[in-house]
Amino acid sequence: MKGGLFVPIIVNLDVMMAKRKISSNELADIVGITAANLSVLKTGKAKAIRFSTLDKICEALNCQPGDILEWQNPAEKS
Amino acid sequence: MKGGLFVPIIVNLDVMMAKRKISSNELADIVGITAANLSVLKTGKAKAIRFSTLDKICEALNCQPGDILEWQNPAEKS
DNA sequence: AAAAAATTATCGTTTTTCGATAAAAAACTA
DNA sequence: TAGTTTTTTATCGAAAAACGATAATTTTTT
């Protein structure tokens, strides 16, 4: 594996952004964080998230935390 | 309002724990955090969450992040 | 009333976000 | 292919917040 421990929280932000046809720069703008930081989250490299940020993302994408965060049962890993 | 700003991320950990018939002490034990810190999360006073913690909770309760975290549209507030 | 469970509150340490910024890589376009 | 835009990666520093340990308080249960 590339980066350290496997934590089975999958970030599906990229999927939701695709569904909403919104670019990283645009979402970063609306949410009010830098595109660099949004990229960290979007590519699954973040280790935590503030509720204030999750809130703003959900608002911008009109979606639920569950649309963005997914728990993958390690026992059922492909 | 009691504590500062309203952030429309609702923590439904209490609901899931009730569904699973598990106590705070027991869950804290399994998850590996103190009951005090679990209480902060359970009662909606946390401002962020580590994915490693969310992971362990989802594993312990066999549920999804979406079962625990909910975004409430402010426009539709009761 | 007593016991158990849960919450609240401090303090200190450690982790991690996040902004700002720059550089590199990738994707797109003419 | 060259140029442009978008996205990703990488630092650095500051601020925020988790989390452990612990104790006190409150609530719930027996």
Side-chain angles (χ1 to χ4, degrees):
Chain A
M1 191 186 303
K2 284 265 184 60
L5 299 185
F6 170 70
V7 174
I9 292 291
I10 312 296
V11 179
N12 289 319
L13 181 56
D14 50 351
V15 176
M16 277 310 297
M17 286 173 61
K19 283 188 183 172
R20 299 292 191 249
K21 310 299 180 197
I22 192 172
S23 73
S24 292
N25 284 324
E26 196 180 345
L27 183 59
D29 242 32
I30 296 175
V31 168
I33 65 178
T34 61
N37 278 327
L38 182 64
S39 177
V40 171
L41 183 60
K42 180 166 130 59
T43 56
K45 295 183 181 66
K47 296 184 177 176
I49 190 168
R50 293 188 188 163
F51 292 155
S52 59
T53 301
L54 183 58
D55 163 31
K56 287 183 282 185
I57 291 175
C58 287
E59 183 177 24
L61 298 181
N62 194 248
C63 70
Q64 288 294 322
D67 295 323
I68 293 171
L69 302 175
E70 177 190 356
W71 178 70
Q72 185 166 66
N73 190 335
E76 297 168 9
K77 268 193 65 183
S78 51
Chain B
M1 191 187 305
K2 282 264 181 61
L5 299 184
F6 171 72
V7 173
I9 294 290
I10 312 297
V11 179
N12 288 321
L13 180 57
D14 50 349
V15 176
M16 276 310 296
M17 287 174 62
K19 283 187 183 173
R20 299 293 190 249
K21 311 298 181 198
I22 192 173
S23 72
S24 292
N25 284 324
E26 196 180 345
L27 183 59
D29 240 33
I30 296 174
V31 168
I33 64 178
T34 61
N37 279 327
L38 182 65
S39 177
V40 170
L41 183 60
K42 180 165 132 57
T43 57
K45 295 184 181 67
K47 297 184 176 175
I49 190 168
R50 294 189 187 159
F51 291 155
S52 59
T53 302
L54 183 57
D55 162 31
K56 286 182 282 183
I57 291 175
C58 286
E59 184 178 23
L61 298 181
N62 194 245
C63 69
Q64 289 294 322
D67 294 323
I68 292 171
L69 301 176
E70 177 189 357
W71 178 68
Q72 184 165 66
N73 191 333
E76 297 169 9
K77 267 193 65 182
S78 52

